[in-house]
Amino acid sequence: MPLAAIISLIKLLTHSAPSTTSETLSLLSTHSTALKRALRNPIACTAGTDLFQRYIISTLQSPTSSQTQSTGDFSTTRDGLVTSGEQFVARAQEARGVIATIGGRLVQDGSTVLTAGDSRVVSAVLDAAADKGVRFRVVYVRDSGIPSSSSPDASGGGGDGMVARLRGKGVAVAVIGPSATAYSLGKITMVMVGAEGVVENGGIVSRLGTYQLAMLAKSARKPVYVVAESHKFVRLYPLGQYDLPIQQTVLDFRDRMDDADDGNGPGGTGEEKRSGGGEEDEEPVDYTPPELITALVAETGVHIPSAVSEELIKIWY
C-alpha cells in the first residue's frame, strides 16, 4: 500500500503541469488526502504519502534543484522530481530483498518459526533462509475465516502460497488455527510477523490477531521479530488499542435475537461505511505495543523498538 500510494503520486506529477513549487506541494497534499479518505484504514497509505512528500521537499531544497528553478523553467524541475521519485520507488522495492538477507540470519539451524498474516516480507525472509540451506521448521497460523487448500501447489491467499513454496524447498510447515497458538508455543523458537505500519514508539499496526499473538509469545518468553520496510514507518503515536485513526467494527454489540450473526470473523467489519470508495474486503487490524516486540528488522538493519523515533527523525529532519 505505501508503494502503491507513492507510485500514484508520481503518475500524478507526470500527467499534471504545476508551474511552481507551491502548486506542486499543494497538488500532492490534496491528492494524498483524497487517497487516505478513500480508505477505512489509511495508516499504510499515510506512511507512503507523507514520506514521499517529505522526499519531494528535500529534493526541491537541494542545490541542484534550486539552480534549475532559478532558470524559470519549472517543467525541467518537474521532470527531475518525477525521475527522483522513480528512483525512490526503485530503492524502496529493493528493500524487501535487503530485509530478507538481514532477517534470514535470525533463522538458525534447528529453529522453529511461528508466523501469521501472510506477510510478503516474512515470506521473503523465510525463503532466503531456506535458499541458504538452513534447516528450520515453520508453524503457520491460518485465520479461521480463511479456508485451507488441500492442493499441494496452492498459491492463493491465506498463506497457502507461502506454505506450498516453503514445503517445496524442503521446509517442514505445520498449519494451525488461532486456537492452537498457545499450545504450539512450547515448540517454537521465535515469532516473526510483518506490519502495515510501524508507529513512532516502535509499536506496529498489523492484521487483527497480531496483538494477542505477541502477548502469548511474551508470556512464553519467546522473541517477537517484526520485519517491515522503512517506508512503512509512520508519524503516528497511538495511546492504545482504540486510538488508531481508522474505522472498523470488531466488537459488534447486539441486543436483539433476530439480528443476523454468522459468527465468522470479527463482527460487523463490513457494515461500517467509509467516507470514500476503498476496497470492501479491507481486513481489520490491531495495535501491538513496543514492549511486546523484541526487535524490528528493516533494510537499515535490526533495531530495538525505541529506535524507530530516531529513524523518523533522520527521515523528516
Side-chain angles (χ1 to χ4, degrees):
M1 177 65 76
L3 279 183
I6 292 171
I7 291 171
S8 69
L9 292 179
I10 293 174
K11 294 294 184 184
L12 174 68
L13 286 177
T14 303
H15 297 289
S16 302
S19 57
T20 65
T21 297
S22 178
E23 285 183 14
T24 301
L25 297 179
S26 177
L27 182 70
L28 291 174
S29 177
T30 299
H31 284 78
S32 294
T33 300
L35 284 173
K36 290 182 279 189
R37 285 180 176 173
L39 300 168
R40 174 183 294 163
N41 175 9
I43 293 175
C45 179
T46 299
T49 56
D50 287 1
L51 181 61
F52 183 68
Q53 288 180 83
R54 181 60 204 170
Y55 178 76
I56 289 297
I57 292 172
S58 298
T59 302
L60 288 169
Q61 291 175 339
S62 67
T64 302
S65 179
S66 298
Q67 292 174 6
T68 304
Q69 293 176 60
S70 64
T71 64
D73 183 10
F74 194 79
S75 61
T76 303
T77 301
R78 186 182 67 250
D79 292 342
L81 291 176
V82 171
T83 301
S84 296
E86 291 171 344
Q87 293 172 348
F88 178 86
V89 169
R91 289 195 297 270
Q93 289 173 333
E94 294 171 356
R96 190 178 301 164
V98 178
I99 294 173
T101 301
I102 298 172
R105 299 174 190 146
L106 297 173
V107 183
Q108 301 294 320
D109 281 332
S111 61
T112 301
V113 182
L114 186 145
T115 187
D118 199 18
S119 165
R120 287 176 290 184
V121 189
V122 172
S123 181
V125 170
L126 298 180
D127 282 346
D131 291 340
K132 285 170 54 181
V134 179
R135 294 167 294 178
F136 66 100
R137 300 183 300 178
V138 172
V139 176
Y140 183 82
V141 183
R142 177 185 277 118
D143 190 330
S144 57
I146 299 176
S148 108
S149 172
S150 58
S151 172
D153 59 350
S155 58
D160 283 342
M162 180 194 298
V163 171
R165 190 166 54 254
L166 287 173
R167 286 174 174 168
K169 295 176 182 288
V171 178
V173 183
V175 180
I176 63 173
S179 58
T181 301
Y183 174 85
S184 68
L185 285 176
K187 295 288 187 180
I188 69 113
T189 309
M190 72 182 76
V191 174
M192 186 175 290
V193 295
E196 289 192 17
V198 181
V199 299
E200 289 184 65
N201 62 359
I204 64 168
V205 177
S206 193
R207 186 176 180 176
L208 187 68
T210 305
Y211 176 43
Q212 66 185 21
L213 180 59
M215 289 182 69
L216 288 170
K218 183 76 170 182
S219 67
R221 299 182 180 179
K222 303 293 183 179
V224 176
Y225 296 107
V226 176
V227 292
E229 306 94 327
S230 62
H231 58 253
K232 291 181 179 177
F233 289 10
V234 60
R235 291 196 304 170
L236 179 67
Y237 201 113
L239 299 177
Q241 201 64 235
Y242 313 112
D243 193 36
L244 298 175
I246 60 179
Q247 301 177 40
Q248 58 182 8
T249 307
V250 177
L251 298 175
D252 186 16
F253 294 104
R254 304 179 183 184
D255 60 1
R256 295 180 58 185
M257 292 297 294
D258 57 350
D259 283 342
D261 187 357
D262 59 12
N264 290 325
T269 54
E271 295 177 0
E272 198 164 350
K273 299 297 182 183
R274 300 170 192 74
S275 58
E279 293 293 330
E280 292 299 322
D281 60 350
E282 286 183 56
E283 294 183 353
V285 297
D286 58 25
Y287 163 65
T288 302
E291 57 267 23
L292 299 180
I293 298 170
T294 305
L296 294 157
V297 183
E299 70 273 19
T300 52
V302 180
H303 308 281
I304 58 175
S306 60
V308 172
S309 58
E310 297 177 9
E311 290 299 313
L312 282 168
I313 289 172
K314 292 177 184 177
I315 294 171
W316 286 88
Y317 304 102

